[in-house]
Amino acid sequence: QVQLVESGGGVVQPGGSLRLSCAASGFTFNSYAMHWVRQAPGKELEWVAFMGYDGSEKNYADSVKGRFTISRDNSKNTLYLQMNSLRAEDTAVYYCAKDVFGTTPYYFDSWGQGSLVTVSS
Amino acid sequence: QSVLTQPPSVSGAPGQRVTISCTGSSSNIGAGRDVHWYQQLPGTAPKLLISRNNNRPSGVPDRFSGSKSGTSASLAITGLQAEDEADYYCQSYDSSLSSSVFGGGTKLTVL
């Protein structure tokens, strides 16, 4: 069965950096696109970033463009999100999610349990 | 303000039928983009409920169904049960934004 396990969350000061990881298992990781989706406390889901199966396609929400970088290591079955210049409004639970396609964003058929990132001084 | 618009809340008694709407625009649902629905139980990660407008993944009860018309989509839940109390989100793709988009979520309360 598909398993996605996020790690790397924590408390960071405004302007700081953090890297999230998502360890994948139970499917052929290098065949599927992956996403990061976040949810601020008590708020709705917000799509953050997308990466195609081989890393050649990627896209970001305007709210994080230029500050966040999505990447993947298919040899380690792991997805990453490097978050720089963090702001208070980036405080959220960050989920990694598996797409059903390899190159085109479509929908998310599996989700991790989430990793909480808190940006606060 | 979410790109897809959902009612903040709906409610119904056990056994009743409720619907949740999801309204988009000509750059997403109206452009023929599929709509997908997720259920988020309290304190848990979202779970795929309906894909491609009206397809239920294995394990999802047939009490849940989806439909799409024009620039809107709907999720219907029949035979409401206490365990259906959750937040429900619609999702599609927006061609103008070149990004996946979610609705603002609807909280379902079973009375």
Side-chain angles (χ1 to χ4, degrees):
Chain A
Q1 71 285 13
V2 173
Q3 197 166 13
L4 301 170
V5 180
E6 300 95 338
S7 60
V11 180
V12 60
Q13 291 189 337
S17 298
L18 212 55
R19 188 177 85 154
L20 301 182
S21 300
C22 171
S25 60
F27 66 102
T28 307
F29 182 71
N30 61 14
S31 294
Y32 294 94
M34 298 292 294
H35 303 258
W36 288 99
V37 176
R38 69 184 181 183
Q39 186 171 35
K43 299 296 187 181
E44 69 270 24
L45 299 172
E46 179 189 14
W47 172 80
V48 172
F50 157 88
M51 175 161 271
Y53 75 101
D54 62 357
S56 60
E57 306 257 358
K58 60 178 83 170
N59 196 17
Y60 300 92
D62 287 344
S63 58
V64 306
K65 204 170 289 185
R67 300 187 299 122
F68 289 12
T69 302
I70 188 172
S71 62
R72 64 193 295 162
D73 185 338
N74 285 345
S75 69
K76 296 182 179 178
N77 288 353
T78 302
L79 179 74
Y80 302 100
L81 185 67
Q82 177 67 44
M83 303 183 292
N84 299 331
S85 303
L86 282 162
R87 307 165 180 166
E89 55 264 34
D90 295 318
T91 294
V93 173
Y94 285 74
Y95 296 101
C96 71
K98 172 185 168 291
D99 203 293
V100 295
F101 284 161
T103 56
T104 305
Y106 197 24
Y107 65 91
F108 321 105
D109 64 345
S110 296
W111 297 67
Q113 86 288 351
S115 184
L116 177 61
V117 172
T118 303
V119 184
S120 173
S121 53
Chain B
Q1 197 79 344
S2 301
V3 173
L4 305 179
T5 301
Q6 298 179 234
S9 63
V10 297
S11 62
Q16 283 191 334
R17 178 182 187 269
V18 296
T19 62
I20 298 172
S21 62
C22 173
T23 303
S25 67
S26 59
S27 61
N28 43 68
I29 300 175
R33 297 289 183 172
D34 289 334
V35 178
H36 321 285
W37 292 89
Y38 303 88
Q39 178 191 58
Q40 187 174 34
L41 296 169
T44 70
K47 168 195 145 185
L48 179 65
L49 190 66
I50 296 286
S51 66
R52 294 171 287 139
N53 308 314
N54 56 15
N55 291 271
R56 280 177 289 104
S58 172
V60 173
D62 59 6
R63 302 185 296 103
F64 295 90
S65 64
S67 63
K68 179 189 137 181
S69 178
T71 58
S72 295
S74 287
L75 172 70
I77 310 172
T78 59
L80 264 183
Q81 299 180 4
E83 59 259 36
D84 298 333
E85 197 160 277
D87 293 325
Y88 292 85
Y89 293 90
C90 60
Q91 176 252 320
S92 187
Y93 185 85
D94 192 282
S95 305
S96 295
L97 298 173
S98 296
S99 72
S100 300
V101 290
F102 286 98
T106 298
K107 182 175 182 59
L108 168 63
T109 300
V110 180
L111 302 171

